[in-house]
């Protein structure tokens, strides 16, 4: 029972980290219609910038530096690259971000090498938050989850209850009218892209300290982040949160399920016991990496707009 509770809690925290990354991609697509293939690279850059700055400004200074640094990189990418290809259509935008993805990875390898760097949780944050039975649960994991929850609340309140959010939503629906009212729509879009990139940078600065910081971290999480956005519904912040938690819990919980594919198929009478114990004696937990994609397949088959997506989209 203790093991199951820890697994579920680990899944929730992993899901919240996924949400920290995917929320920026959801915002960028929902507000600007840009499917940013390089979004996971912002997560990687946040980790590396924080690692670089931590020696000068301490851990929290590094987190702030990583977040703001990636936001600035995102602003530059939108202002000087994406804006110039937008008039040619979404395919050109996608190809440009595809190129940025590989460019960022190669730049990181050039300066930091192809292996993981020694970016880790500082000693001051290495303590137990609480106990589940005899299992000690680390405080930093809880901190990652709390950061994601606060981030979601801040974005939601900013977009729903402030004048800035009102202008941003109006600019998305009718940019010409907002421009006529005296607002600079180009600056609004650049700022939104920078905020989306900065959120991924914050996730990288926090997650990179707890997990591994290496040049492949964007590749490892990039596909999962797109799965989260599709399952949750393109442009839906609430849907991204639900999908992130669902995927995080499913992937973490199945690791602790001690059953094989053969046993399941034998129980429903599809294969014999002999085949179940020989050819199909494969643990169900080995399919943990495939689960997010199976979930996406099911969602696309039965609810193509995603869990919380707009049917009109």
């Amino acid at each position: 029972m203790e093991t199951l509770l820890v697994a579920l809690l680990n899944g929730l925290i992993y899901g919240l980290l996924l949400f920290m990354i995917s929320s920026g991609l959801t915002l960028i697509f929902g507000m600007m219609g840009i499917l940013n293939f390089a979004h996971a690279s912002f997560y990687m850059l946040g980790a590396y910038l924080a690692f670089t700055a931590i020696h000068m400004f301490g851990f929290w200074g590094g987190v702030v530096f990583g977040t703001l640094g990636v936001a600035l990189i995102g602003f530059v990418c939108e202002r000087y690259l994406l804006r110039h290809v937008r008039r040619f259509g979404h395919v050109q935008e996608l190809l440009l971000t595809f190129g940025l993805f590989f460019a960022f990875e190669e730049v990181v390898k050039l300066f930091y090498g192809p292996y993981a760097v020694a970016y880790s949780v500082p000693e001051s944050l290495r303590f137990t938050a609480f106990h589940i039975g005899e299992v000690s649960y680390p405080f930093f994991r809880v901190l990652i989850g709390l950061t994601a929850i606060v981030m979601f609340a801040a974005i939601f309140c900013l977009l729903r209850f402030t004048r800035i959010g009102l202008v941003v939503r109006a600019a998305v629906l009718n940019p010409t009218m907002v421009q006529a009212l005296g607002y600079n729509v180009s600056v609004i879009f650049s700022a939104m892209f920078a905020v989306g990139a900065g959120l991924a940078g914050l996730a990288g600065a926090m997650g990179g300290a707890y997990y591994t910081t290496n040049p492949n971290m964007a590749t490892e999480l990039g596909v999962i982040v797109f799965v989260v956005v599709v399952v949750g519904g393109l442009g839906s912040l609430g849907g991204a949160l639900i999908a992130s938690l669902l995927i995080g819990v499913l992937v973490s919980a199945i690791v602790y399920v001690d059953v094989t594919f053969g046993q399941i198929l034998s129980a429903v009478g599809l294969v014999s016991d002999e085949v179940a114990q020989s050819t199909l004696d494969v643990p169900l937990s080995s399919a943990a990496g495939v689960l997010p994609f199976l979930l996406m397949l099911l969602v696309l088959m039965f609810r193509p707009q995603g869990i919380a997506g707009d049917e009109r989209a």
Side-chain angles (χ1 to χ4, degrees), residues 16 19-20 143-157 199 202:
L16 287 170
F19 170 71
M20 288 175 70
L143 184 62
I144 291 175
L146 291 176
T147 304
I149 293 170
V150 170
M151 195 181 78
F152 173 74
I155 297 172
F156 182 81
C157 292
L199 293 177
L202 173 62

Side-chain angles (χ1 to χ4, degrees), residues 123-187:
E123 287 297 329
S124 60
L125 296 175
R126 289 176 181 268
F127 57 89
T128 301
F130 51 83
H131 291 84
I132 301 176
E134 296 181 354
V135 180
S136 301
Y137 205 80
F139 169 76
F140 198 78
R141 270 183 176 267
V142 179
L143 184 62
I144 291 175
L146 291 176
T147 304
I149 293 170
V150 170
M151 195 181 78
F152 173 74
I155 297 172
F156 182 81
C157 292
L158 178 70
L159 292 176
R160 286 282 181 179
F161 305 118
T162 68
R163 185 175 180 81
I164 295 175
L166 182 66
V167 172
V168 168
R169 285 184 285 133
V172 173
L173 294 174
N174 196 334
T176 306
M177 181 198 70
V178 174
Q179 187 83 39
L181 291 174
Y183 295 100
N184 191 327
V185 175
S186 297
V187 171

Side-chain angles (χ1 to χ4, degrees), residues 291-313:
L291 267 184
F293 304 102
L294 290 177
L295 179 63
M296 182 176 72
L297 181 64
L298 290 173
V299 169
L300 288 175
M301 287 174 63
F302 298 105
R303 191 174 169 80
Q305 71 272 27
I307 294 174
D310 191 342
E311 294 184 4
R312 296 166 297 180

Side-chain angles (χ1 to χ4, degrees), residues 208-228:
Y210 193 82
Y211 300 100
T212 305
T213 297
N214 62 67
N216 296 321
M217 59 195 296
T219 306
E220 292 164 359
L221 271 182
V223 180
I224 301 296
V225 170
F226 273 94
V227 171
V228 167

